[in-house]
C-alpha cells in the first residue's frame, strides 16, 4: 500500500453518485487533521493495512505548545479524510503516458480500502470521512505546514 499523508487545516472531497436513479452530488469535509491519499496494489494484504494504520494513527506531525511536531492525530483529536488514489502506482519509466498496471484490481483493492478506513476510524476513535472508490473526485485542501509524508508498506525499514 502507498499513502500520501498531508497535515491539513481543512480538506474536502466531492463526487457524484447515483441514488434511486438520480445523480446526487456528495461532499465530505474535515477540519484540522489528515488527508490520506491511499493506493492499493494486488500484492497488498491485511498486514499492510494494520501496519499503515498504526503508523498513521501514531505519526507525530502536529505541533505541541512549543510548536514542535510532537503530537499525533489522536493527541490533537483531529479528523481524517481518506481518498482512494490508484495513480500512486503509476509506472512512468517508458514513454510519457503513465500506465497503471501495478494498481490493484477493484476486487482486491476495495476490501482493503474499506478495512483501512474502518481500522483507522477505530484507531483514532472518530469516523473517517471517505471519497467514493473509483469515482471521479474533486479534492480540496489547505495543507498545514506544508507537511506531506509518503509511506509505502513495501519499505517498512
Amino acid at each position: 500500500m502507498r499513502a500520501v499523508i498531508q497535515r491539513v487545516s481543512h480538506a474536502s472531497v466531492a463526487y457524484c453518485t447515483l441514488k434511486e436513479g438520480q445523480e446526487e452530488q456528495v461532499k465530505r469535509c474535515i477540519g484540522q487533521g489528515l488527508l490520506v491519499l491511499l493506493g492499493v496494489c494486488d500484492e497488498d494484504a491485511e498486514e499492510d493495512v494494520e501496519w499503515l494504520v498504526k503508523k498513521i494513527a501514531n505519526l507525530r506531525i502536529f505541533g505541541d505548545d512549543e510548536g514542535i511536531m510532537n503530537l499525533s492525530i489522536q493527541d490533537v483529536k483531529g479528523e481524517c479524510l481518506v481518498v482512494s488514489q490508484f495513480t500512486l502506482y503509476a509506472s512512468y519509466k517508458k514513454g510519457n503516458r503513465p500506465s497503471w498496471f501495478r494498481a490493484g484490481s477493484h476486487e482486491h483493492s476495495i476490501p482493503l480500502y474499506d478495512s483501512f478506513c474502518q481500522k483507522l476510524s477505530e484507531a483514532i476513535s472518530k469516523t473517517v470521512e471517505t471519497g467514493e472508490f473509483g469515482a471521479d473526485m474533486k479534492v480540496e485542501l489547505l495543507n498545514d505546514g506544508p507537511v506531506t509524508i509518503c509511506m509505502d508498506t513495501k519499505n517498512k525499514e
Side-chain angles (χ1 to χ4, degrees), residues 38 40 84-86 104-106 109-110 113-114 131-135 137:
L38 183 70
V40 179
S84 62
Q85 189 79 43
F86 75 94
S105 67
H106 276 70
S109 299
I110 291 173
Y113 172 80
D114 290 342
E132 178 73 19
F133 193 95
M137 296 175 276

Side-chain angles (χ1 to χ4, degrees), residues 92-146:
Y92 46 83
K93 292 182 180 184
K94 188 175 179 185
N96 293 316
R97 182 175 181 206
S99 81
W100 320 113
F101 71 92
R102 295 196 59 224
S105 67
H106 276 70
E107 296 77 24
H108 180 75
S109 299
I110 291 173
L112 289 175
Y113 172 80
D114 290 342
S115 176
F116 176 85
C117 293
Q118 177 189 352
K119 288 183 174 165
L120 184 58
S121 180
E122 292 167 4
I124 67 169
S125 302
K126 280 193 172 188
T127 299
V128 169
E129 295 294 340
T130 64
E132 178 73 19
F133 193 95
D136 179 28
M137 296 175 276
K138 308 299 180 211
V139 178
E140 293 183 331
L141 67 135
L142 180 58
N143 193 317
D144 180 15

Side-chain angles (χ1 to χ4, degrees), residues 29-48:
C29 304
I30 63 166
Q32 178 191 30
L34 299 175
L35 168 63
V36 179
L37 305 176
L38 183 70
V40 179
C41 73
D42 282 331
E43 292 81 37
D44 290 328
E46 197 62 36
E47 67 186 31
D48 295 294

Side-chain angles (χ1 to χ4, degrees), residues 52-82:
L52 193 57
V53 163
K54 184 177 178 181
K55 276 296 200 186
I56 292 172
N58 293 295
L59 193 61
R60 298 183 338 180
I61 59 172
F62 292 89
D64 61 17
D65 290 339
E66 296 174 19
I68 297 169
M69 284 195 268
N70 205 24
L71 302 176
S72 71
I73 186 78
Q74 299 169 85
D75 297 327
V76 299
K77 298 181 180 14
E79 300 176 286
C80 284
L81 171 61
V82 179

